[in-house]
Every structure is written in C-alpha cells, then in structure tokens.
C-alpha cells in the first residue's frame, strides 16, 4: 500500500450530505475482477447523463477538478452498503483524501485498509473549506498527515486529528498483510515452538 505522508492536490468541493456507496459506484459497475477502471464510473449518475454525456455542472467535470486528489464532502459520506468498490473507485480516479464531518463506518474501515485518508472536520469547517477552495479557483491545498494540518492556498492552516492507529498505518503504508508481516519473527518463533 502506498504511504500517505503529505498530499498537495486540487480539492473538489462536494456539498452533498448522505452520499451513499451506490452513488459513489453503482452496483452495475462492480462486475470486474480488478480495481482498475472503476474511477471512470465514480459518481456515474452525477457525472453523466443517461446517454453518457458529461454533466457540466458536476464538480469532477469542472476543468480544474478533473484531476482532483482531495474531496471535501458533507456529513455521512459513503453511508449504505459495505462495498469496498467505493474506496477503489475513488482511488482509481485519483482521490487520496476525503474530508467530511462524518463517514459510513464500514467505508471508513475499507478506506484505511486501502490507503485512503479520511479527515473528520466539523460541518461549519467543511463548509468554510469548500468556500475557500472555490474562492481560490481550485488552487491546490496540502494535507499533511504527519503534522495533521491542512494548508490552504491562502496560507491559512486547519488542524485535524486522526485515530493514532489509522495514522500509523497510513504513514507506514501498511495494509492488513503488511501489519501482520511486521510480526513475522514472532510468528516464526511461535511456529517453530509448536
């Protein structure tokens, strides 16, 4: 898993509450056996019309946000079903960090396992952040997991905290297998003693 220490990227404001995992990646696109290509179906119903044309008013179709690496959403982001494909679609699109007041519990677990940083900030702070991003005409911001700060284009800094275990896993780039392999010597000793 790729380490997450610091990310400087365009942030796309998504002022929608209760975005469920089916909105992130509709079930009909979850037939593939790999994670590759899921990003093109990210927010399918919001990004495209029924005939496949881009919706000009959706933020990820905005010329400045087509390569966004950060999403600033509203409360209860990624609620609903437990599909890990939602995290995979975000990652395949290029999103490495989602900032919102709250997240679906299963999505949050899947995010950590796949290297997606979730930053929880108060509703009012997320709203101010979305406004600042728009006012700066989508100038890149920096999310620093090591310092637990967000640096805006204006120079303003916003502090955040992440669960210490989640932070360590992301900083070290450890998926579940990597976390287990950190104890390889102890496992070998146990197995040889049996």
């Amino acid at each position: 898993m790729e380490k997450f220490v610091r990310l400087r990227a365009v942030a796309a404001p998504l002022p929608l509450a209760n975005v469920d995992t089916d909105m992130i990646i509709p079930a009909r696109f979850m037939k593939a056996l790999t994670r590759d290509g899921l990003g093109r179906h990210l927010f399918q119903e919001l990004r495209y019309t029924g005939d496949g044309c881009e919706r000009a008013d959706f933020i990820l179709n905005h010329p400045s946000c087509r390569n966004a690496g950060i999403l600033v959403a509203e409360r209860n982001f990624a609620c609903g079903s437990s599909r890990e494909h939602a995290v995979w679609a975000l990652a395949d699109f290029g999103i490495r960090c989602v900032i919102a007041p709250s997240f679906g519990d299963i999505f949050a677990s899947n995010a950590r396992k796949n290297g997606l940083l979730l930053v929880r900030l108060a509703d009012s702070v997320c709203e101010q952040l979305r406004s600042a991003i728009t006012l700066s005409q989508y100038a890149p911001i920096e999310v620093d997991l090591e310092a637990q700060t967000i640096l805006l284009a204006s120079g303003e800094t916003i502090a955040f905290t992440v669960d210490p275990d989640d932070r360590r896993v992301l900083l070290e780039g450890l998926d579940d297998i990597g976390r287990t392999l950190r104890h390889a010597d102890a496992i070998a000793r146990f197995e040889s003693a049996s």
Side-chain angles (χ1 to χ4, degrees):
M1 186 169 80
E2 185 180 349
K3 293 180 181 182
F4 190 114
V5 178
R6 194 170 295 104
L7 173 65
R8 182 169 176 73
V10 169
L14 184 67
L16 296 173
N18 303 312
V19 170
D20 66 23
T21 53
D22 193 54
M23 190 181 295
I24 295 170
I25 181 78
R28 68 184 181 277
F29 299 112
M30 298 186 334
K31 297 174 186 168
L33 299 176
T34 68
R35 303 169 189 202
D36 298 331
L38 291 175
R40 76 173 156 263
H41 301 295
L42 179 69
F43 297 114
Q44 178 76 26
E45 308 303 326
L46 297 172
R47 282 173 64 196
Y48 305 104
T49 62
D51 60 359
C53 294
E54 286 188 353
R55 295 181 190 270
D57 62 343
F58 187 66
I59 192 62
L60 295 180
N61 293 333
H62 186 285
S64 297
C65 294
R66 287 183 181 277
N67 296 311
I70 302 165
L71 196 62
V72 184
E74 285 215 19
R75 75 189 92 75
N76 204 24
F77 183 81
C79 56
S81 71
S82 61
R83 64 186 67 162
E84 194 167 10
H85 291 72
V87 173
W88 296 348
L90 288 161
D92 190 59
F93 182 85
I95 304 289
R96 298 235 30 236
C97 175
V98 181
I99 301 168
S102 59
F103 299 93
D105 290 338
I106 297 171
F107 173 81
S109 175
N110 288 334
R112 182 190 64 161
K113 291 176 184 179
N114 287 279
L116 179 67
L117 173 62
L118 303 183
V119 175
R120 289 169 179 82
L121 295 174
D123 287 283
S124 60
V125 178
C126 286
E127 186 176 335
Q128 291 169 355
L129 183 52
R130 286 189 298 273
S131 292
I133 290 165
T134 304
L135 285 173
S136 73
Q137 299 180 349
Y138 311 103
I141 66 172
E142 183 175 278
V143 177
D144 186 331
L145 179 56
E146 206 164 43
Q148 295 187 92
T149 58
I150 300 168
L151 177 62
L152 304 181
S154 66
E156 179 185 353
T157 301
I158 299 170
F160 66 88
T161 57
V162 173
D163 174 84
D165 189 49
D166 290 353
R167 182 172 176 261
R168 182 183 55 79
V169 164
L170 290 166
L171 285 170
E172 295 179 26
L174 298 173
D175 59 13
D176 286 346
I177 294 170
R179 293 173 74 189
T180 301
L181 290 176
R182 293 181 76 207
H183 306 286
D185 292 341
I187 293 168
R189 283 192 305 276
F190 175 80
E191 288 178 339
S192 66
S194 298

